[in-house]
């Protein structure tokens, strides 16, 4: 209930900065926008404030930059993915075993054994990243290098990769940009028919998302609506 | 405690091995067999097209809820062998 009472924060992006086309699974609606028709996009945020979202977007764009090889975290909507994940059960550690003893310096193979939830880790770390968006790219890299060994950075790095390559149903990998980059065809149920048709030649199908493959159109309920 | 009628074979865990053994025993012998599987009821729809790698494998939704019972393993056991 508290969640619903909270004043909604929006992330305003210029349509050009997110690439030409954008498919966003926001508010359970999928919309397609074009830079020609729309000047800016207002995306409702579920966890971040707008300034926090801009810092995360900038940091993710340094971890997975857009360059001559193709689009990166900015175009793939990684910040939206991270916002949704943090607002959901994962962000609140709903399914993590959180009983004592907590151990912040446990060996890596045990995974994270601390007490703080991903929400708390992000919020705390973001306090120390004020002004990050005003830095130049190389200054941002330097700032990220300084926090490279923190739990926050390892989460951010992992979440950035997830947001690049997860199914678009989670809010990232917009337009399946990540899959197009690496030539992943998506969760194809079968390639049976393609084997004969493309026998002996390289076969790179256009990726299809879970929703396209299964033709299931009911969009998954967001956590605050369950 | 609930007592179930006695059977010849009880297979604990309906994974790959357990289910294959159950199928083979059922088709080759006259033994009565029960397979025990814990957790909530799962239907075909739970496996087909509702969850992806992120939900099932990375966030562990395929497993028993890890907040109730954590993953347990002891690396020292292997080292001692």
């Amino acid at each position: 209930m508290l969640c619903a009472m909270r004043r909604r924060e929006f992330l305003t992006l210029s349509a050009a900065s997110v690439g030409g086309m954008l498919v966003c699974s926001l508010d359970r609606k999928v919309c397609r926008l074009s830079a020609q028709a729309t000047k800016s996009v207002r995306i409702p945020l579920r966890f971040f404030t707008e300034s926090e979202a801009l810092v995360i977007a900038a940091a993710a764009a340094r971890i997975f930059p857009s360059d001559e090889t193709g689009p990166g975290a900015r175009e793939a909507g990684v910040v939206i993915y991270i916002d949704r994940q943090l607002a959901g059960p994962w962000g609140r550690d709903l399914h993590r075993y959180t009983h004592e003893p907590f151990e912040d310096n446990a060996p890596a193979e045990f995974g994270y054994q601390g007490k703080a939830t991903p929400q708390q880790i992000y919020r705390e770390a973001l306090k120390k990243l004020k002004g990050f968006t005003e830095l130049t790219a190389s200054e941002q890299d330097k700032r990220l290098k300084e926090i490279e060994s923190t739990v926050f950075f390892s989460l951010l790095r992992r979440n950035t990769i997830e947001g690049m390559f997860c199914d678009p149903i989670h809010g990232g990998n917009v337009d399946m940009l990540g899959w197009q980059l690496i030539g992943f065809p998506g969760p194809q149920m079968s390639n049976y028919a393609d084997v004969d048709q493309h026998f002996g030649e390289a076969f790179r199908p256009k990726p299809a998302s879970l929703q396209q493959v299964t033709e299931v159109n009911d969009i998954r309920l967001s956590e605050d609506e369950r | 405690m609930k007592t179930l009628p006695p059977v010849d074979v009880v297979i604990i865990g309906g994974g790959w091995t357990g289910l294959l053994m159950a199928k083979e025993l059922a088709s080759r012998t006259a033994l009565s067999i029960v397979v025990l599987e814990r957790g909530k009821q799962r239907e075909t729809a739970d496996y087909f097209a509702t969850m992806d790698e992120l939900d099932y494998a990375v966030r562990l939704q395929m497993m028993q809820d890890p907040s109730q019972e954590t993953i347990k393993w002891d690396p020292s056991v292997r080292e001692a062998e």
Side-chain angles (χ1 to χ4, degrees):
Chain A
M1 226 30 216
L2 271 176
C3 234
M5 297 292 284
R6 192 182 143 224
R7 196 173 70 87
R8 271 260 154 111
E9 292 265 353
F10 288 86
L11 176 65
T12 311
L13 298 167
S14 87
S17 77
V18 289
M21 303 294 264
L22 172 72
V23 176
C24 31
S25 37
L26 309 158
D27 279 2
R28 303 172 54 208
K29 283 188 212 88
V30 179
C31 53
R32 184 168 277 268
L33 304 155
S34 84
Q36 284 74 39
T38 329
K39 284 277 181 298
S40 65
V41 196
R42 264 166 68 82
I43 300 169
L45 292 166
R46 295 220 176 92
F47 174 72
F48 291 132
T49 63
E50 179 168 35
S51 59
E52 286 175 336
L54 290 170
V55 169
I56 293 298
R62 293 316 302 158
I63 294 171
F64 208 116
S66 330
D67 58 18
E68 65 283 351
T69 55
R74 220 175 262 286
E75 292 78 12
V78 163
V79 63
I80 303 302
Y81 164 79
I82 298 177
D83 180 67
R84 302 299 182 259
Q85 286 290 309
L86 285 171
W90 178 78
R92 289 181 282 120
D93 265 348
L94 206 63
H95 301 297
R96 186 168 75 94
Y97 191 77
T98 46
H99 294 269
E100 294 182 73
F102 296 107
E103 179 61 70
D104 280 317
N105 301 310
E109 63 263 37
F110 289 94
Y112 174 62
Q113 298 285 316
K115 191 176 185 178
T117 65
Q119 282 191 349
Q120 291 165 337
I121 293 168
Y122 266 83
R123 195 126 272 165
E124 204 51 44
L126 276 162
K127 286 183 194 158
K128 295 175 195 145
L129 283 175
K130 291 225 166 76
F132 186 80
T133 47
E134 281 111 66
L135 304 175
T136 65
S138 59
E139 284 170 340
Q140 288 180 339
D141 287 352
K142 196 164 153 270
R143 189 78 191 81
L144 291 175
K145 279 224 172 71
E146 286 165 15
I147 57 163
E148 206 170 2
S149 61
T150 61
V151 174
F152 164 69
F153 184 82
S154 66
L155 270 187
L156 177 64
R157 180 180 172 277
R158 209 179 77 196
N159 291 155
T160 301
I161 297 169
E162 286 167 1
M164 275 309 289
F165 300 113
C166 68
D167 193 275
I169 201 164
H170 299 286
N173 193 8
V174 160
D175 259 352
M176 290 170 282
L177 288 174
W179 291 356
Q180 291 181 51
L181 275 176
I182 57 170
F184 177 64
Q188 304 283 347
M189 293 298 154
S190 163
N191 286 307
Y192 189 78
D194 299 312
V195 173
D196 282 340
Q197 208 182 327
H198 302 275
F199 193 75
E201 59 186 65
F203 174 55
R204 277 197 128 191
K206 199 174 166 343
S209 69
L210 205 52
Q211 226 164 46
Q212 290 167 334
V213 165
T214 58
E215 293 167 7
V216 175
N217 287 320
D218 52 332
I219 295 167
R220 193 189 301 228
L221 290 177
S222 71
E223 179 63 19
D224 15 336
E225 289 163 315
R226 264 175 222 166
Chain B
M1 200 172 75
K2 194 176 171 187
T3 306
L4 296 170
V7 288
D8 300 319
V9 179
V10 175
I11 294 175
I12 302 178
W16 269 99
T17 319
L19 291 181
L20 278 173
M21 287 199 316
K23 184 197 171 283
E24 291 299 313
L25 284 170
S27 59
R28 289 163 192 241
T29 69
L31 297 169
S32 56
I33 307 150
V34 160
V35 178
L36 297 180
E37 176 68 20
R38 70 170 186 171
K40 60 177 185 183
Q41 181 70 21
R42 303 242 191 206
E43 309 291 341
T44 310
D46 292 322
Y47 295 90
F48 175 71
T50 52
M51 290 210 192
D52 61 348
E53 187 184 347
L54 183 72
D55 278 340
Y56 256 5
V58 180
R59 301 276 183 257
L60 305 178
Q61 289 184 32
M62 184 72 180
M63 299 175 36
Q64 303 300 310
D65 188 344
S67 72
Q68 301 303 312
E69 203 171 316
T70 187
I71 305 164
K72 283 175 282 202
W73 103 105
D74 184 356
S76 64
V77 173
R78 183 166 288 176
E79 278 164 25
E81 275 168 3

